[in-house]
Amino acid sequence: TLVMPYMKAPTLAAYLQHLGSEDKDKVLAAFDRLWASILQSSAPAPDADNVLAYLAEGADWGVILRQAYIEMIPLNVFYEDGKLVFFDQEYMRENCPAKYPMFRAVYYSHSYLDQIISLEELQERYGLMSVWDALVNEEQEFIAATRRYNVYHQFYAWADMDRSRMLKNRQILKIIGNE
């Protein structure tokens, strides 16, 4: 059994979502802390061991981590008095660039940060520009493999809300109700 004390702190994602356009420095400070934590999370590996190098040959992949914890994203971090407390870190990739977990942090956060800081500015700050498209493709493959779309596609189709089907069913019920 693994037990963790109850945390009263918000997640980093919740903290970032409540910041306003005047809080750009706070957003950058939080992401800088996250980036530093990613870089310190594992011993470095030789560049030649980079498992993602084939995605963008010749690109600057930066530091390669022997063990990259790719769930170091704002949804899986408590933010307590400026400190980051990580949880739910079930996925690790060996010999992976530190840019991949940072990409994931930016990728899953930029939709609620775009009023404060542009995606391009975050990409530039953390050296993600040249590998962004390759990492988007890698992320899509990772999600498809993790969720096993090839096996559970029928379940996902059933579980997904199809708005057109919902509206059609609503009209059918309306017709039946009037008869």
Side-chain angles (χ1 to χ4, degrees):
T1 304
L2 178 65
V3 177
M4 182 176 175
Y6 179 79
M7 295 292 295
K8 293 181 183 177
T11 63
L12 180 57
Y15 169 77
L16 292 170
Q17 286 175 7
H18 288 95
L19 294 177
S21 58
E22 69 281 353
D23 293 319
K24 181 177 176 180
D25 290 339
K26 290 180 181 179
V27 170
L28 291 174
F31 270 96
D32 286 348
R33 269 190 217 105
L34 183 60
W35 180 233
S37 295
I38 290 169
L39 291 171
Q40 295 171 1
S41 66
S42 176
D47 290 348
D49 292 349
N50 179 359
V51 297
L52 300 182
Y54 72 96
L55 293 173
E57 292 182 23
D60 176 12
W61 286 99
V63 175
I64 309 304
L65 298 175
R66 182 133 340 263
Q67 297 177 319
Y69 297 93
I70 66 172
E71 289 285 302
M72 295 177 81
I73 61 175
L75 285 170
N76 293 352
V77 182
F78 289 116
Y79 186 76
E80 184 176 47
D81 299 325
K83 293 187 303 184
L84 304 179
V85 180
F86 295 90
F87 65 94
D88 196 19
Q89 299 296 308
E90 73 261 33
Y91 294 107
M92 183 273 298
R93 294 195 66 180
E94 293 182 354
N95 302 316
C96 183
K99 288 183 180 184
Y100 185 45
M102 192 62 189
F103 154 81
R104 295 183 87 239
V106 172
Y107 184 75
Y108 290 112
S109 304
H110 75 84
S111 64
Y112 55 81
L113 293 177
D114 63 354
Q115 299 296 327
I116 303 171
I117 189 168
S118 72
L119 173 60
E120 291 77 20
E121 190 171 345
L122 290 170
Q123 289 171 326
E124 185 68 36
R125 186 176 185 97
Y126 301 106
L128 299 170
M129 261 317 179
S130 65
V131 294
W132 186 265
D133 291 338
L135 292 176
V136 167
N137 291 336
E138 178 64 20
E139 182 64 9
Q140 290 170 348
E141 287 185 27
F142 170 72
I143 293 299
T146 304
R147 295 185 181 163
R148 299 184 63 194
Y149 288 141
N150 60 334
V151 175
Y152 298 116
H153 58 90
Q154 286 299 106
F155 168 76
Y156 287 115
W158 173 79
D160 190 33
M161 182 175 67
D162 180 352
R163 292 194 182 280
S164 63
R165 188 175 71 203
M166 185 175 66
L167 291 172
K168 185 177 177 182
N169 288 343
R170 182 176 172 197
Q171 289 190 336
I172 290 171
L173 290 172
K174 199 180 226 184
I175 292 168
I176 292 172
N178 288 335
E179 289 179 358

